[in-house]
C-alpha cells in the first residue's frame, strides 16, 4: 500500500505542476513541446466531453454558459450570415476574418473564463472530431458557434444518429443493456451539468 501512495503523490504533483504551467502567460514559454502537449490533451478532453454531451442530451436544451443568450445575440449580430452547420475555415482563420472575430472575442474578456483558451471545433457539425473535421479555435469562438448550432438545430443530427444507432442495436438483438443506454448516457450527461444549469465547458 505504501508503494501505491508513493506513486500517487508524484502524479498529483505533476497535475499541480501542469495546472500551474498552463496558468502562466504564453510569453513565458515560446514553443515548449511539453506545454503544447498539455494544451492539446486538455483540448481533446474538452472535445470528448462535449461530443458525449451532445450525443446524449438533445442539444437544443443545453446551456453551455450563464450568458448563452448574450453570446448568441452578439454572435448573430456580428455574423448573421455565417453558416454554422458546415464551417469554412477561411471564415474563421483568414486575416480579414480574424479582424472581424477579434472585437467579438474581446467583448467576452472577463465575462467568460478562459475566453481565448484553445479548443477543438468541428467544421461539419454532423460529423465527429476527426483530424480532417477539426480546427483549433478560441473558446469564445467555439461557444458562439456551438450555441448557434444547438439553438438552430444543427447539432440535433449527432444526437439523432446516436439515438437511432442505439435503437437499431436494441432491435437487432444487441446487448440488452445497450438498448436502454440512451437513458443511462443522458443521466451521465446531466450529471455533467452543474447545479446552476450550466454545462462545464
Amino acid at each position: 500500500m505504501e508503494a501505491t501512495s508513493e506513486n500517487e503523490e508524484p502524479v498529483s504533483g505533476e497535475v499541480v505542476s501542469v495546472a500551474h504551467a498552463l496558468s502562466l502567460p504564453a510569453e513565458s514559454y515560446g514553443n515548449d513541446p511539453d506545454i503544447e502537449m498539455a494544451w492539446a490533451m486538455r483540448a481533446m478532453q474538452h472535445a470528448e466531453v462535449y461530443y458525449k454531451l451532445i450525443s446524449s442530451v438533445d442539444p437544443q436544451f443545453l446551456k453551455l454558459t450563464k450568458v448563452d443568450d448574450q453570446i448568441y445575440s452578439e454572435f448573430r449580430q456580428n455574423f448573421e450570415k455565417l453558416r454554422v452547420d458546415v464551417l469554412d475555415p477561411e471564415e474563421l482563420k483568414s486575416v480579414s476574418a480574424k479582424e472581424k472575430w477579434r472585437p467579438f472575442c474581446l467583448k467576452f474578456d472577463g465575462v467568460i473564463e478562459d475566453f481565448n483558451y484553445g479548443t477543438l471545433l468541428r467544421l461539419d457539425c454532423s460529423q465527429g472530431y476527426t483530424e480532417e473535421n477539426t480546427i483549433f479555435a478560441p473558446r469564445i469562438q467555439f461557444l458562439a458557434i456551438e450555441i448557434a448550432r444547438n439553438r438552430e438545430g444543427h447539432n440535433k443530427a449527432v444526437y439523432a444518429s446516436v439515438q437511432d444507432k442505439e435503437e437499431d442495436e436494441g432491435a437487432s438483438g444487441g446487448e440488452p443493456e445497450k438498448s436502454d443506454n440512451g437513458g443511462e448516457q443522458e443521466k451521465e450527461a446531466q450529471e455533467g451539468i452543474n447545479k446552476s444549469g450550466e454545462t462545464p465547458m
Side-chain angles (χ1 to χ4, degrees):
M1 285 192 179
E2 287 178 0
T4 303
S5 64
E6 286 176 14
N7 288 341
E8 288 177 359
E9 288 179 23
V11 171
S12 64
E14 289 174 20
V15 171
V16 169
S17 133
V18 167
H20 173 70
L22 292 176
S23 68
L24 295 174
E27 301 81 40
S28 305
Y29 294 105
N31 290 334
D32 184 329
D34 292 336
I35 298 301
E36 288 179 6
M37 182 57 77
W39 283 106
M41 287 174 38
R42 185 168 172 193
M44 191 61 211
Q45 287 171 340
H46 174 268
E48 288 171 351
V49 167
Y50 183 70
Y51 195 78
K52 184 176 181 179
L53 192 63
I54 63 172
S55 299
S56 305
V57 178
D58 187 342
Q60 183 178 349
F61 302 109
L62 287 178
K63 185 170 171 114
L64 301 181
T65 73
K66 294 178 182 178
V67 292
D68 279 13
D69 293 336
Q70 179 186 355
I71 293 170
Y72 182 71
S73 173
E74 293 277 348
F75 172 68
R76 279 307 184 197
Q77 283 175 11
N78 289 282
F79 303 95
E80 92 180 67
K81 294 184 181 179
L82 180 68
R83 271 188 70 191
V84 294
D85 57 339
V86 180
L87 296 169
D88 176 358
E90 287 299 307
E91 293 180 335
L92 305 172
K93 301 292 184 182
S94 70
V95 173
S96 61
K98 286 180 179 181
E99 288 175 11
K100 190 169 182 182
W101 275 100
R102 188 172 294 112
F104 170 82
C105 293
L106 290 174
K107 286 180 185 178
F108 294 95
D109 185 5
V111 177
I112 297 294
E113 184 178 345
D114 297 330
F115 78 103
N116 62 349
Y117 187 86
T119 60
L120 299 176
L121 179 64
R122 295 169 300 136
L123 294 172
D124 180 345
C125 70
S126 69
Q127 305 296 315
Y129 286 94
T130 63
E131 188 175 340
E132 301 79 30
N133 192 44
T134 306
I135 61 170
F136 207 57
R139 184 170 186 243
I140 187 60
Q141 200 172 42
F142 165 87
L143 288 169
I145 290 168
E146 290 297 339
I147 289 167
R149 286 173 167 176
N150 291 342
R151 290 186 176 197
E152 296 169 13
H154 300 295
N155 275 336
K156 186 103 174 170
V158 172
Y159 174 71
S161 71
V162 169
Q163 299 310 307
D164 290 346
K165 184 178 177 184
E166 288 175 358
E167 286 175 14
D168 289 346
E169 286 175 0
S172 67
E175 296 177 23
E177 55 269 0
K178 287 199 176 192
S179 64
D180 188 37
N181 201 19
E184 202 50 44
Q185 285 181 342
E186 187 165 345
K187 182 180 176 189
E188 287 176 20
Q190 287 296 335
E191 289 172 2
I193 300 174
N194 67 26
K195 297 202 187 297
S196 68
E198 182 178 320
T199 306
M201 287 284 116

